[in-house]
């Protein structure tokens, strides 16, 4: 791509006060350029042959005057003579300029967003259970590890979005991705410093009679101190990813046509959505490999002591992030031909109702700490922006809460294993979340939605997903479990009456610490082999499952003697499974369908100098009010549906058995609450939105005329470059 550089002096433009009166230009053509900024003949020839390079052309200047004390709307742009070459400092070879386009930076930002989603939202959620098992962590400790990402992001968002918004965005982005890669390497570090994972396999602890000496062995290892290392890795993830979803979005929006911006942002966020799906699939596959690669073990993947190769994914994603950061660091502050798009964006801007908007339009606004209070004050006085932030917080609460506990919901409703539930949820998220995110931006572009029409589209999507939430009024019947929901004879037990001990297993000395469910031939599920009264003798059926004969608590239906039990949970026969999955897909699809339009509306309701800072503030609100409390709120209500808690040597552990009807009811209440709030926020934001173009005739005269042949040709060239 040819490079056009300015002379030693910056190119400036005359003041509107001296050049324009009542919207008419009275300056002679020979005097349109400032005397203090001479242009060389080479520069003039370059500008004539490069209509896309707007830093070489006079930019539109606005002077709108209304009757009364209406104030002045002004757009000022001053080119500082900065290079638009792609490279690293003085090293900018011509071969790299083919990447110096919106599509080029979009590719690398998508790669970074994909790696971030795969690592933070994919690998982390997949390996949490393995980390608890390997490093003796409690659930609250693993929860703190997961929350360290959001805590770091909240601490850095104001600083990064404010100063990075007026700085060199690609450098902020590149260093952030590099820091994110270092966080992944730090997260994998405990595998190499904690020593080998060695366990003793005691098969007799779960059969009848049990080995009581193995019930509560002292397993204090000191490995829990590695919690701090994991938190440090997550903290680096949060700091590094902070510029990605604030500065990255605004950098894309600044360098493409406003009508194409939703498509670019949708592709960017689609990559971020596909990342967690890939993390679930790749992370699940790696967990089938033993953590100590190259060593043989008697453990199987079904064993509660099994620990998979959780660390491999973090090494790969960390190295990939470091390599991705290098090209991002080479991009210029602005892509060639990007300044002209600022005038187009101004026509969609939300109207501010005070004189401070003039100061906010200054290109130097927001570059010093002195402007921070005014920036915050302008955002707080923007009701559309505040309502969009609150609507985003309600959506984030549902997204984070349901993404964390939907696998658990599927596992309980359909009687699946944890890996099967995670895989099934991944199959739902890929087409629903990724497709909804991409199509949201596509519809905004295809339907040419502007201003309040974008917010109306968000309102429509939220209403449809609100109706879809009603599917949680349905539920699958819980599989009857002996001693929990049914007696050992098969009759139902009153709620709250738990008794795992019966005359048939009283002599087995079963321990409540070892949960390993089996399915009896009578259709009941039992807590363990010991509670089913099964001896150690086993055989394998045609499906490869272990079958235990002569279980004293399992009645034989066809002949005398005892029945048998099969390792694992009983299969669910729920007839509502297809209906539940279809409507869950609809809820996910329409929730993500409104994400890019809502982001587009946010970018259009604030002025250019504030857009990065506004996204940073919005992310803080979304995380504090939605992202952080979302999983906590959903976890709290789901715990209310627990029927049987794990007994860890007298201390309460995680929930083992849920009541399906109560779980569906609580999720329905939470979903309706937050979706109704989202509908209200979007509706009020649509009502209060007032575009700047409705009160300024001068802005419209600055936009290119479709009836003008030269401008039409320029627009077509711009479109092809995008």
């Amino acid at each position: 791509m040819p490079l056009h550089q300015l002379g030693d002096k910056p190119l400036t433009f005359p003041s509107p006060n001296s050049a324009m009166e009542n919207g008419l230009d009275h300056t002679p053509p020979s005097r349109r350029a400032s005397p203090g900024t001479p242009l060389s003949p080479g520069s003039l020839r370059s500008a004539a042959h490069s209509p896309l390079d707007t830093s070489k052309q006079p930019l539109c200047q606005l002077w709108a005057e209304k009757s009364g004390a209406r104030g002045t709307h002004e757009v000022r742009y001053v080119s500082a003579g900065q290079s638009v070459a792609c490279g690293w400092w003085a090293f900018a070879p011509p071969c790299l300029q083919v990447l110096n386009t919106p599509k080029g930076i979009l590719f690398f930002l998508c790669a970074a967003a994909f790696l971030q989603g795969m690592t933070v939202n994919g690998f982390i959620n997949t390996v949490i259970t393995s980390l608890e098992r390997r490093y003796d962590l409690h659930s609250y400790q693993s929860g703190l590890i997961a929350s360290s990402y959001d805590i770091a992001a909240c601490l850095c968002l104001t600083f990064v979005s404010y100063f990075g918004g007026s700085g060199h965005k690609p450098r902020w982005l590149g260093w952030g991705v590099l820091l994110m890669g270092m966080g992944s390497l730090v997260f994998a570090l405990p595998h190499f410093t904690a020593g080998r994972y060695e366990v003793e396999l005691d098969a007799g602890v779960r059969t009848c009679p049990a080995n009581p000496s193995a019930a509560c062995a002292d397993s204090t290892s000191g490995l829990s101190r590695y919690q701090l290392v994991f938190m440090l890795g997550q903290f680096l993830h949060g700091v590094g990813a902070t510029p990605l979803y604030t500065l990255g979005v605004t950098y894309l929006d600044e360098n493409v046509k406003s009508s194409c911006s939703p498509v670019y942002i949708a592709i960017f966020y689609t990559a971020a959505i596909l990342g967690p799906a890939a993390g679930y699939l790749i992370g699940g596959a790696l967990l089938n490999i033993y953590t100590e690669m190259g060593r043989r073990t008697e453990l199987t993947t079904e064993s509660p002591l099994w620990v998979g190769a959780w660390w491999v994914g973090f090494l790969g994603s960390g190295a990939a992030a470091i390599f991705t950061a290098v090209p991002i660091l080479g991009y210029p502050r602005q892509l060639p031909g990007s300044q002209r798009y600022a005038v187009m964006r101004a026509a969609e801007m939300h109207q501010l109702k005070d004189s401070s908007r003039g100061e906010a339009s200054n290109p130097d606004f927001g570059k010093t700490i002195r402007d921070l209070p005014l920036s915050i004050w302008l955002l707080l006085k923007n009701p559309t922006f505040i309502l969009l932030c609150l609507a985003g917080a309600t959506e984030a609460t549902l997204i984070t809460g349901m993404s964390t506990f939907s696998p658990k919901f599927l596992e309980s409703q359909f009687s699946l294993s944890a890996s099967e539930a995670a895989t099934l949820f991944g199959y739902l998220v890929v087409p629903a979340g990724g497709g909804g995110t991409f199509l949201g931006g596509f519809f905004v572009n295809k339907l040419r939605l502007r201003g309040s029409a974008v917010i109306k589209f968000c309102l429509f999507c939220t209403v449809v997903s609100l109706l879809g939430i009603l599917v949680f009024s349905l539920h699958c019947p819980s599989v009857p479990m002996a001693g929990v929901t049914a007696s050992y004879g098969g009759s139902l037990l009153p709620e709250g009456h738990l008794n795992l001990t019966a005359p048939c297993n009283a002599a087995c000395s079963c321990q409540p610490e070892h949960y390993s469910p089996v399915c009896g031939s009578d259709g009941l599920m039992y807590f363990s082999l010991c509670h089913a009264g099964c001896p150690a003798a086993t055989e394998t059926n045609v499906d490869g499952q272990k079958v235990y004969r002569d279980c004293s608590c399992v009645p034989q239906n066809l002949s005398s003697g005892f029945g048998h039990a099969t390792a694992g949970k009983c299969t669910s026969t729920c007839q509502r499974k297809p209906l539940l999955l279809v409507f869950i897909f609809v809820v996910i699809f329409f929730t993500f369908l409104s994400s890019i339009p809502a982001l587009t509306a946010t970018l259009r309701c604030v002025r250019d100098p504030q857009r990065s800072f506004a996204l940073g503030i919005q992310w803080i609100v979304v995380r504090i009010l939605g992202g952080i409390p979302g999983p906590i709120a959903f976890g709290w209500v789901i715990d209310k549906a627990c029927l049987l808690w794990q007994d860890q040597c007298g201390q309460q552990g995680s929930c083992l058995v849920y009541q399906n009807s109560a779980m569906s009811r609580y999720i329905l209440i939470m979903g309706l609450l937050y979706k109704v709030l989202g509908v209200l926020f979007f509706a009020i934001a649509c009502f209060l939105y007032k575009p700047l173009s409705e009160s300024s005739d001068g802005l419209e005269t600055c936009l290119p005329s479709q009836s003008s042949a030269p401008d039409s040709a320029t627009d077509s060239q711009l479109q092809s470059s995008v």
Side-chain angles (χ1 to χ4, degrees), residues 53 196 300 319 576 581:
D53 194 350
R196 293 180 175 178
T300 63
R576 297 171 176 172
L581 292 178

Side-chain angles (χ1 to χ4, degrees), residues 251-521:
Y251 188 73
L252 285 175
D253 189 66
E254 290 167 358
N255 289 280
V256 298
K257 207 171 183 179
S258 60
S259 60
C260 298
S261 174
V263 177
Y264 275 74
I265 297 175
I267 295 174
F268 172 71
Y269 271 90
T270 300
I273 296 298
L274 295 179
Y280 275 107
L281 298 178
I282 298 175
L286 291 175
L287 290 182
N288 291 325
I289 305 173
Y290 189 55
T291 184
E292 300 294 341
M293 288 185 170
R295 298 191 64 194
R296 300 190 61 180
T297 179
E298 297 180 359
L299 295 174
T300 63
T301 55
E302 290 81 13
S303 173
L305 302 177
W306 174 270
V307 174
W310 62 269
W311 49 275
V312 176
F314 293 96
L315 288 182
S317 63
I322 292 175
F323 282 113
T324 304
V326 176
I328 295 178
L329 286 168
Y331 275 88
R333 181 188 293 264
Q334 287 182 329
L335 296 181
S338 62
Q339 289 188 354
R340 184 171 183 270
Y341 303 133
V343 180
M344 301 179 182
R345 290 193 303 269
E348 301 178 54
M349 202 174 298
H350 176 70
Q351 181 185 7
L352 299 178
K353 298 181 179 180
D354 56 74
S355 58
S356 58
R357 63 177 180 265
E359 186 172 351
S361 300
N362 192 317
D364 294 328
F365 178 77
K367 294 185 178 181
T368 62
I369 195 67
R370 292 177 300 176
D371 297 329
L372 180 59
L374 180 58
S375 295
I376 297 176
W377 176 244
L378 289 176
L379 293 178
L380 292 178
K381 294 180 65 176
N382 190 333
T384 304
F385 173 76
I386 297 298
L387 290 167
L388 289 176
C389 289
L390 295 177
T394 60
E395 295 294 288
T397 304
L398 289 176
I399 291 175
T400 57
M402 297 189 70
S403 63
T404 303
F405 294 104
S406 285
K408 185 184 291 292
F409 175 81
L410 298 177
E411 178 182 351
S412 177
Q413 295 289 325
F414 307 141
S415 190
L416 303 174
S417 65
S419 60
E420 292 173 337
T423 302
L424 178 59
F425 184 67
Y427 289 152
L428 289 174
V429 168
V430 171
T437 302
F438 176 78
L439 290 178
F442 175 79
F443 286 149
V444 171
N445 178 54
K446 192 69 175 179
L447 301 176
R448 299 185 180 277
L449 301 178
R450 297 293 181 268
S452 61
V454 180
I455 305 178
K456 291 178 182 178
F457 183 83
C458 298
L459 178 61
F460 167 77
C461 295
T462 308
V463 171
V464 175
S465 58
L466 170 63
L467 299 177
I469 286 286
L470 296 175
V471 74
F472 287 102
S473 60
L474 306 177
H475 64 87
C476 293
S478 301
V479 176
M481 184 173 185
V484 180
T485 60
S487 66
Y488 276 84
S491 60
L492 294 178
L493 283 178
E495 185 176 348
H497 292 72
L498 305 178
N499 188 10
L500 296 175
T501 303
C504 59
N505 60 22
C508 296
S509 301
C510 301
Q511 302 295 329
E513 290 80 18
H514 303 286
Y515 176 67
S516 181
V518 294
C519 183
S521 56

